[in-house]
Amino acid sequence: MAKNPRDTVTYELKEGHKVVYRGTTNDPERREQEHKDAGKKFTGLNVTSRKMTEDGAKKKEAETLGTYRKNHCGKNPKYNNR
């Protein structure tokens, strides 16, 4: 039975002090460049979790987005569309 690797983290893109995106990745440097190439405006990428399985990271992302919406009148960060 193959073990799920713990190689995925959650992260946020910030524009100053404002969170503009939350997501998951197993390669933060690559993902940061992809966001820049897509034209997203931000000042930094911050890893916000330890390494975990992809499923664990997706669950954590959903939880942090739920908390964000609770604190921002039901709205997601600027670049999160779901």
Side-chain angles (χ1 to χ4, degrees), residues 1-7 53-54:
M1 182 173 189
K3 193 173 179 183
N4 290 333
R6 293 181 181 271
D7 64 353
T53 64
E54 183 178 1

Side-chain angles (χ1 to χ4, degrees), residues 7-43:
D7 64 353
T8 305
V9 296
T10 59
Y11 69 94
E12 62 188 14
L13 298 180
K14 294 185 90 173
E15 188 172 21
H17 293 289
K18 183 178 179 183
V19 173
V20 295
Y21 185 82
R22 291 186 189 251
T24 64
T25 186
N26 61 3
D27 187 342
E29 293 81 19
R30 173 190 49 81
R31 194 66 180 116
E32 182 175 18
Q33 189 59 52
E34 289 173 349
H35 287 301
K36 287 178 182 176
D37 292 346
K40 292 183 176 127
K41 304 292 184 206
F42 59 96
T43 54

Side-chain angles (χ1 to χ4, degrees), residues 30-76:
R30 173 190 49 81
R31 194 66 180 116
E32 182 175 18
Q33 189 59 52
E34 289 173 349
H35 287 301
K36 287 178 182 176
D37 292 346
K40 292 183 176 127
K41 304 292 184 206
F42 59 96
T43 54
L45 180 148
N46 299 318
V47 172
T48 58
S49 73
R50 59 180 169 72
K51 290 183 178 182
M52 58 185 86
T53 64
E54 183 178 1
D55 287 344
K58 293 286 185 189
K59 182 178 177 183
K60 179 111 174 136
E61 176 191 16
E63 290 170 359
T64 59
L65 282 170
T67 300
Y68 183 95
R69 285 190 295 273
K70 188 184 291 186
N71 294 323
H72 292 87
C73 302
K75 295 181 182 179
N76 273 328

